[in-house]
Amino acid sequence: MKVGEAAALMGADATSISAEMFDKQIRDYSIDSRSVGAGELFFALSQQDYARAGFNGEFVDAHRFIGDAFERGAIAAVARKDHAGDLENVKDRLLLVDDAIAALQQLAHRVYTAWGKPVVAITGSAGKTTAKELTAHVLASAGRRVLKSERNYNNGLGLPLSVLRMVSEDRSPDQFDIAVLEMGMSSPTHEIQRLCKITPPDVAVELMVAPVHLEYLGTIENIAAAKAELIEGLKPEGVAILNADDALVMKMRDKHQGRTLTFGMDNAADVSATEIDTRSLGKIEFRLRTPLGEARASLAMSGRHNLSNALAASTVATAFSLPPEEIARALNTAQPPKMRGEVFDFAAGFTVIDDSYNSNPRSLLNMVRTMAEGGRGRKRLFVIAGEMLELGPDEIALHREAGREIAATGVDVLWGVRGLGQEIVFGSREAGLKVTKFFDSSDEAAAELAKDVKEGDLILVKGSRGVATDKIVKALREHFPLVGEDER
C-alpha cells in the first residue's frame, strides 16, 4: 500500500505531503517508535485516543517520539491535527487525523472490506490464543491460506495491526482466504463491540466465561455480557460456536438467530470428544465426533481445557465442512503455543510444564489438576503459582481458595510468587499442605529453584503476565540442559 492510498482510506489530511511521498510504498505499520523499521508508517498515539478507544490507564503521548521514529526509518507518521503546530519541522511527512487510533482502525476496516472474505473471531476468559492457533493450524492444513492474529494481538490496537499484515511486507489481500482473529476485552467499555465493527465475524467462537478482569467488570455476569458482544456482532448469516459445557456461554444462544454449533465433553454437543485419555503429559488421545462423522485423534498438549480448545477449533472446521478425518490429521500435528502448557524434559531427570503466559483461578486449577493426573509416579508434584491480577475486590479470597484447592489435588510443594501469591500459600497451608514458600519476585524463585530442583520432580510454572514467571523457566533452561541437548 502506498502512502497516498493509506491517507485516502483513513480520511487523513495529507496536504503537506509531497507527490513523491504519496507514491512511496509502506512496508509495515507500527505504534511503537522503539521498534519501528525502515519504510513503516508510524501511528503517534496519545492519551485522548486511548481514552476514546476504551483503554484503561495513563499513556505517554507518542507525538514526542515522531522524530525518533523517523530516525529509525519510518516513512511517514499519522498524527493528530491538534498537534500539527508542534510538528512544523516534519509536516511534509505527516498524515493528520482527528484521532490516531480511530485512523488505524478505519484503515484496517477498509482493507478488510475490500478483501471481503470470512473472519473467524474467537473470545473467552482463557484459551483464546491456543484456540486461535489450533483453528488456524487445522484450516491451513486443509489448504486454506490463513491470516491469524499475531501472538495475543486481540484489542483495539492489536486486531487492526493483525489485519494490516495483509498489506505489509509485499503481501496482498488476495494471498489470504480466511482470517482467524482473537477478540479480547478487559473493561466495560464495549471493546468487543468495537472490534466487531472493524472486522464483522462470519464465525464467532465463545470458549468460556471465568472470573477475570473483575477489577474493572465487577461480576462474572458482567464478564459474560461483555463476551456476548461477539455473538451480537456476528453477521446475520454467520455461525455462532458455543461451549456446551459452560452455562454462561450457552445463555448466549439467544443472541443469534442464525446457525449455531456447539462443542463440549460433559454435555450434549454437535462436536464432542469421547474415549478421552489424558494420562500422559503432553498428549491427549480421544475420539472426535462431529455431524460429519468421527475419527480417532491425538493432541500434543495436556489437560481437558486444551482438549476443549481443540474441540472449538474442530467445530470451526466443521462449520467450513471439513470431514473429521481431515481435522484429526491436523490436530495430530499441532503444537502448543509458547508458555501455554509446553512440557520440557530435562536431562537431570525432572520435567517442567511452562504455562507461564497468564493465569486466573480457573485456568490455574485446570493446569494443577492436569499435572496431578499426568504426574502419577513422580517423586514430587511441585507448583509455582504467581499472583493473579485484575481479580477485583475479592482478590484475596480468590487467591486463598485457589491455594486450598491446589492442596486438595495432592501436590507435594507449593511456592507462591509476588504480592497475592502469598495468599495462595496461606490457603494451601490452611488445607494442610506442609511444604510451601513465598517469594517476592520471579527472579528470587528462579534462583532458589535452581538449587532445590530434584530428579523426579514435575514442576508447573504459572502466573499472570505481569509477574513474569517465565523467568523461572528461562533460568532453569540456562542452568540445566534438556533431554537431548549438549550438556555443556
Side-chain angles (χ1 to χ4, degrees):
M1 182 181 292
K2 294 180 179 179
V3 171
E5 184 183 358
L9 292 175
M10 290 185 289
D13 178 354
T15 53
S16 297
I17 296 285
S18 67
E20 179 185 4
M21 179 64 73
F22 255 62
D23 288 331
K24 287 191 174 181
Q25 196 74 23
I26 299 170
R27 179 161 178 76
D28 209 340
Y29 305 83
S30 176
I31 58 172
D32 189 341
S33 64
R34 297 165 297 182
S35 61
V36 71
E40 294 185 5
L41 179 62
F42 174 62
F43 287 79
L45 312 183
S46 63
Q47 182 63 37
Q48 300 101 305
D49 305 333
Y50 283 109
R52 181 210 58 82
F55 286 84
N56 299 309
E58 297 295 321
F59 299 89
V60 175
D61 191 334
H63 288 81
R64 69 173 76 172
F65 304 120
I66 287 177
D68 295 337
F70 287 151
E71 286 180 8
R72 288 181 169 87
I75 191 172
V78 178
R80 288 177 63 95
K81 292 176 181 177
D82 55 13
H83 284 62
D86 302 324
L87 301 166
E88 280 292 322
N89 59 325
V90 292
K91 67 179 183 180
D92 60 332
R93 299 173 69 180
L94 295 182
L95 305 178
L96 298 175
V97 298
D98 294 324
D99 183 308
I101 292 180
L104 172 67
Q105 294 174 344
Q106 179 170 317
L107 179 60
H109 176 69
R110 294 279 176 83
V111 168
Y112 153 78
T113 301
W115 174 63
K117 295 179 182 178
V119 168
V120 177
I122 299 173
T123 196
S125 298
K128 290 185 294 295
T129 299
T130 300
K132 176 256 298 181
E133 292 292 333
L134 288 169
T135 300
H137 178 75
V138 171
L139 294 175
S141 297
R144 307 304 205 275
R145 298 173 299 171
V146 180
L147 174 79
K148 64 179 181 179
S149 300
E150 287 297 291
R151 291 168 293 203
N152 67 328
Y153 281 13
N154 60 28
N155 63 13
L157 300 176
L159 184 137
L161 288 172
S162 293
V163 172
L164 291 176
R165 288 184 60 242
M166 282 197 277
V167 289
S168 64
E169 297 180 349
D170 299 322
R171 301 185 190 97
S172 64
D174 60 10
Q175 293 175 270
F176 300 95
D177 302 316
I178 193 167
V180 180
L181 305 173
E182 289 185 44
M183 292 191 179
M185 63 87 205
S186 60
S187 67
T189 56
H190 302 295
E191 291 174 79
I192 292 179
Q193 184 182 94
R194 291 190 180 98
L195 297 178
C196 287
K197 290 179 179 178
I198 301 170
T199 53
D202 298 87
V203 177
V205 183
E206 292 278 355
L207 298 173
M208 60 177 289
V209 177
V212 297
H213 309 305
L214 288 170
E215 178 181 355
Y216 302 109
L217 286 141
T219 67
I220 196 164
E221 289 76 18
N222 289 342
I223 295 168
K227 293 294 183 185
E229 290 177 359
L230 181 63
I231 306 302
E232 293 166 348
L234 184 59
K235 291 178 181 177
E237 68 278 13
V239 182
I241 293 179
L242 306 179
N243 184 352
D245 295 336
D246 190 308
L248 289 172
V249 167
M250 288 303 291
K251 286 183 179 180
M252 300 176 194
R253 196 164 198 158
D254 295 338
K255 303 284 185 182
H256 178 59
Q257 301 308 309
R259 185 184 179 197
T260 297
L261 291 172
T262 59
F263 65 93
M265 292 171 277
D266 301 324
N267 296 319
D270 297 303
V271 175
S272 62
T274 60
E275 302 173 28
I276 301 167
D277 184 351
T278 59
R279 292 173 294 179
S280 299
L281 278 177
K283 185 177 182 180
I284 306 168
E285 294 185 335
F286 62 100
R287 180 171 293 279
L288 173 66
R289 291 185 170 174
T290 82
L292 302 178
E294 58 185 66
R296 291 294 306 173
S298 178
L299 184 69
M301 297 183 187
S302 298
R304 290 172 65 89
H305 58 293
N306 277 324
L307 177 54
S308 181
N309 293 328
L311 291 177
S314 300
T315 311
V316 173
T318 300
F320 287 101
S321 301
L322 268 66
E325 298 83 1
E326 194 167 356
I327 298 170
R329 280 196 298 271
L331 292 177
N332 292 348
T333 60
Q335 295 297 317
K338 289 186 179 299
M339 298 187 289
R340 292 173 172 87
E342 288 185 285
V343 178
F344 296 107
D345 291 313
F346 286 80
F350 63 89
T351 298
V352 172
I353 304 172
D354 180 6
D355 205 56
S356 57
Y357 187 80
N358 215 336
S359 188
N360 62 60
R362 185 163 165 180
S363 65
L364 172 60
L365 266 298
N366 280 340
M367 280 308 300
V368 172
R369 288 167 182 147
T370 295
M371 181 189 73
E373 182 179 8
R376 297 186 183 97
R378 297 280 183 160
K379 291 181 180 177
R380 290 195 302 179
L381 298 181
F382 200 136
V383 175
I384 301 177
E387 179 180 22
M388 297 176 286
L389 305 178
E390 297 183 6
L391 292 184
D394 295 327
E395 58 186 3
I396 292 175
L398 288 168
H399 280 80
R400 286 222 178 190
E401 179 59 24
R404 287 191 287 269
E405 293 199 41
I406 289 171
T409 65
V411 303
D412 302 293
V413 182
L414 171 65
W415 288 3
V417 180
R418 212 187 82 167
L420 292 170
Q422 190 162 26
E423 297 297 331
I424 301 176
V425 170
F426 289 157
S428 70
R429 289 175 183 168
E430 290 171 358
L433 187 59
K434 302 297 184 185
V435 186
T436 63
K437 287 185 182 179
F438 172 74
F439 298 88
D440 287 318
S441 70
S442 291
D443 290 320
E444 291 180 13
E448 182 68 16
L449 184 60
K451 295 182 290 185
D452 191 55
V453 66
K454 295 178 175 62
E455 181 182 359
D457 283 350
L458 175 59
I459 305 166
L460 169 64
V461 181
K462 189 166 178 63
S464 280
R465 193 75 209 101
V467 186
T469 52
D470 56 298
K471 290 181 178 180
I472 299 169
V473 181
K474 182 180 179 182
L476 284 176
R477 295 194 63 178
E478 289 171 352
H479 280 84
F480 303 95
L482 298 176
V483 170
E485 283 186 337
D486 186 334
E487 293 197 11
R488 290 175 296 177

